Amino acid sequence: MPHTLAAVATPWWKGAVVYQIYPRSFCDTDGDGVGDLEGVRRHLDHLSRLGVDAVWFSPFFPSPMADFGYDVSDYCDIDPLFGTLDDFRRLLDDAHERGIRVLLDWVPNHTSDRHPWFVESRSSRDNPKRDWYVWRDEPSNHWQASFGGDAWTYDARTEQWYLHSFLPEQPDLDWRNPDVVAAMHETLRFWLDMGVDGFRIDVVHGLAKDPDMPDGAEEHRGLLADFVTMDADEVHPLLRDLRRLADSYPGDRMLVGEVYILDTRRVAPYYGNGDELHLAFNFRPLHARWDARAWRRQIEIAGEAFDPIDAWPVWVLSNHDVPRHRTRYGGSESRARVAAVLLLTLRGTAFLYAGEELGLEDAKVPKRRVVDPGGRDGCRAPIPWDASGTHGWGVTDAWLPWPPDPRHRNVERLAVDEHSILHLYRRLLVARAASDALRLGSLKCVDAPDGVVAYERRSGADRRRVVLNFETSPAKLDPGRGWVVDVATDGEGEGDAFSGLLAGDTGVVLRPV
Ligand code: GLC
């Protein structure tokens, strides 16, 4: 039989909704003001009711926390701040029992400077691990590190410089060294053997550096290391090896890469010919303004850039690195509701960031409480679970201030209010689960007045239409024939024929009568 699309079972991650948990900020049960694994386990029902397919945990591995876990000092253990390996196994089992898959965050571009590999590497020039990292007699270029400063730090003892694309506490591994590749593969196997369903791969486009490490064009001098150096051709064979490793396990293990390149067309090659990453984040839309024309353009670009068979798109509006989209789009909850419909009805896998289902805004973090070297504290504020003084945490004051209005904007309260944004997210996930068109279908933009984005999703006979008013003023459209409101951002008229009228900052998902 020919190898047709229909003959291949759809993997779980295609059309899935993945929920990102920033472990420090989810829920604290031991009273230290920092979230922990037990806090996640206790709230798995919230995730089941929401209807997500998988969770992705930002790093919870042992770490000195210079970059809050993105500086890993042991890839195969849990930082005591969050719990133990046994706690993780319990959490994994409980998640799987509820049909929720579990993805971990793998940070292969760099380790912590306290990782035993780097401790050895910096101990002497002839240490066997010296060439696991990138050492030079002189800085080879003028690269700047993310978070500021030079990307090279001098080591006085061995009188050489090492490369770090991020903080000096995050030395870059040298992936040209096969021993590094083998050791890092082992860390993946450790978790895959335990039964995790895959990985979000941090800064994956940075694994291979241009061997000459050039400064790049004159105008790029002094730019961030990641913009000049990353996205080298040599990354692709490394990705094919990772893909083979993941695919050698049963059960559709999945790799989704943080390809932080703000040009969608340059993200597409990270899927290879279906033999590199299963999924790759496309961050350009995350930086688009809340503007109908800008978004229509992003949707069209994704449609053109990604191969229809091998490159399934990813959509994301918020994460732990950028202000929450409600805050970015001006702070209105109605607009955040329209954004939820957009995110959950586009063609691709959708990534939610914990708290967006509550319509959270960024916390206002006073200067004296800023702890992140990149100033990303606002979007990392703790999740309020109830209206009490501790908001369901072990303490009244957690590691970061609460987001605005936690007495009203918390899980318990929104769960009992059918009109809440939380219920909108639940209805959208139900609608998505019920429709092949929404989950897996094609997408075609349809004509709409200025300020409105409209598209149709189709899979065989199954069809849905999505109409989103990006403006605060009302919009009037041709209602078409035979469309019923399946989900409305304000809950108005669900089940009724679509009138063609949309109030400002509202949107609908329509189904055929
Ligand atoms: C990624 C992470 C970010 C981290 C950086 C360095 O961009 O998302 O949080 O600071 O990598 O690991």
Side-chain angles (χ1 to χ4, degrees):
M1 194 173 102
H3 186 72
T4 61
L5 258 190
V8 181
T10 308
W12 68 267
W13 43 265
K14 222 174 167 180
V17 177
V18 182
Y19 183 94
Q20 181 192 356
I21 290 181
Y22 194 69
R24 297 181 72 87
S25 302
F26 200 67
C27 182
D28 161 40
T29 59
D30 59 9
D32 62 0
V34 174
D36 44 53
L37 296 184
E38 178 58 15
V40 177
R41 205 179 66 84
R42 288 193 196 165
H43 289 296
L44 283 174
D45 285 341
H46 171 66
L47 303 182
S48 302
R49 272 182 227 126
L50 186 57
V52 297
D53 301 286
V55 289
W56 143 36
F57 289 98
S58 281
F60 46 42
F61 315 107
S63 163
M65 303 285 167
D67 188 14
F68 293 106
Y70 284 93
D71 47 326
V72 179
S73 56
D74 180 351
Y75 288 91
C76 300
D77 204 346
I78 308 279
D79 195 286
L81 200 54
F82 301 118
T84 63
L85 276 173
D86 278 339
D87 293 332
F88 177 71
R89 286 193 191 94
R90 201 171 313 131
L91 172 57
L92 183 65
D93 285 349
D94 286 6
H96 281 167
E97 232 164 67
R98 289 168 170 78
I100 298 174
R101 315 247 177 183
V102 174
L103 309 175
L104 305 192
D105 206 321
W106 189 55
V107 188
N109 179 68
H110 45 267
T111 67
S112 160
D113 62 345
R114 313 262 188 89
H115 194 293
W117 299 340
F118 189 71
V119 173
E120 274 196 49
S121 182
R122 86 184 308 173
S123 66
S124 77
R125 287 196 188 194
D126 49 18
N127 184 278
K129 294 221 165 48
R130 185 68 168 181
D131 56 2
W132 282 40
Y133 295 83
V134 184
W135 290 96
R136 293 286 182 276
D137 289 336
E138 297 288 337
S140 312
N141 49 43
H142 297 86
W143 293 349
Q144 295 289 294
S146 280
F147 311 133
D150 290 340
W152 296 93
T153 285
Y154 185 63
D155 179 64
R157 179 141 55 112
T158 57
E159 299 178 329
Q160 278 190 324
W161 302 72
Y162 66 89
L163 176 68
H164 51 89
S165 301
F166 296 87
L167 297 171
E169 293 90 342
Q170 294 168 294
D172 282 29
L173 283 164
D174 189 346
W175 275 77
R176 286 177 308 163
N177 183 334
D179 293 340
V180 168
V181 176
M184 288 303 283
H185 282 194
E186 274 315 300
T187 68
L188 288 179
R189 286 205 185 87
F190 175 82
W191 296 105
L192 290 168
D193 288 340
M194 197 183 292
V196 310
D197 300 284
F199 300 89
R200 176 263 191 189
I201 309 182
D202 193 62
V203 202
V204 69
H205 55 304
L207 288 195
K209 313 283 188 291
D210 182 326
D212 297 333
M213 299 205 288
D215 256 332
E218 191 61 32
E219 69 267 26
H220 289 151
R221 278 212 161 203
L223 273 192
L224 292 181
D226 41 344
F227 285 108
V228 186
T229 74
M230 299 192 175
D231 193 26
D233 293 341
E234 290 78 1
V235 76
H236 297 286
L238 297 174
L239 296 184
R240 288 193 282 276
D241 288 347
L242 293 175
R243 173 69 175 253
R244 264 192 297 276
L245 193 161
D247 286 354
S248 71
Y249 281 79
D252 280 338
R253 314 297 173 102
M254 186 268 268
L255 305 176
V256 52
E258 186 205 26
V259 183
Y260 211 97
I261 301 174
L262 298 182
D263 174 351
T264 302
R265 292 184 185 84
R266 282 173 58 201
V267 173
Y270 282 76
Y271 292 84
N273 296 311
D275 57 355
E276 296 188 25
L277 295 174
H278 299 88
L279 294 174
F281 281 106
N282 170 26
F283 286 114
R284 182 64 195 84
L286 182 144
H287 293 280
R289 282 173 304 129
W290 186 253
D291 170 87
R293 204 174 306 157
W295 267 93
R296 205 171 309 158
R297 189 78 200 108
Q298 292 307 323
I299 294 167
E300 282 163 6
I301 292 173
E304 290 156 14
F306 294 121
D307 180 282
I309 295 173
D310 289 330
W312 181 252
V314 172
W315 297 95
V316 58
L317 295 178
S318 287
N319 63 32
H320 64 294
D321 286 331
V322 290
R324 287 181 176 276
H325 64 265
R326 175 165 173 196
T327 301
R328 289 203 316 274
Y329 296 156
S332 114
E333 184 186 304
S334 329
R335 187 166 286 178
R337 288 177 180 234
V338 181
V341 179
L342 176 74
L343 177 63
L344 291 166
T345 59
L346 285 171
R347 177 177 176 273
T349 294
F351 278 72
L352 308 182
Y353 178 49
E356 72 171 78
E357 77 280 20
L358 312 177
L360 290 190
E361 295 176 83
D362 274 19
K364 293 196 176 42
V365 183
K367 250 205 185 116
R368 65 189 159 79
R369 293 200 60 181
V370 168
V371 287
D372 176 50
R376 299 159 292 185
D377 310 73
C379 64
R380 298 176 177 180
I383 304 287
W385 291 93
D386 62 33
S388 74
T390 63
H391 299 300
W393 283 54
V395 289
T396 48
D397 196 18
W399 74 290
L400 282 172
W402 301 105
D405 198 19
R407 285 199 44 225
H408 296 101
R409 197 168 286 282
N410 59 65
V411 175
E412 197 174 81
R413 256 194 104 133
L414 300 187
V416 295
D417 173 6
E418 269 183 30
H419 303 289
S420 70
I421 188 168
L422 173 58
H423 280 264
L424 171 66
Y425 270 85
R426 288 186 187 170
R427 293 202 301 285
L428 284 166
L429 279 151
V430 168
R432 190 175 162 112
S435 165
D436 279 353
L438 283 180
R439 249 188 0 272
L440 302 166
S442 61
L443 181 148
K444 201 166 156 245
C445 284
V446 295
D447 283 345
D450 284 352
V452 173
V453 171
Y455 43 88
E456 191 160 318
R457 306 286 316 275
R458 229 176 231 264
S459 170
D462 189 34
R463 287 193 302 153
R464 292 291 183 276
R465 198 171 261 219
V466 178
V467 190
L468 306 169
N469 185 358
F470 275 63
E471 302 290 332
T472 49
S473 47
K476 176 145 183 44
L477 292 90
D478 174 0
R481 237 173 302 151
W483 291 107
V484 165
V485 177
D486 193 15
V487 181
T489 52
D490 53 8
E492 292 294 318
E494 291 182 355
D496 298 345
F498 179 52
S499 67
L501 282 178
L502 276 185
D505 282 335
T506 66
V508 286
V509 182
L510 307 174
R511 60 180 148 81
V513 180

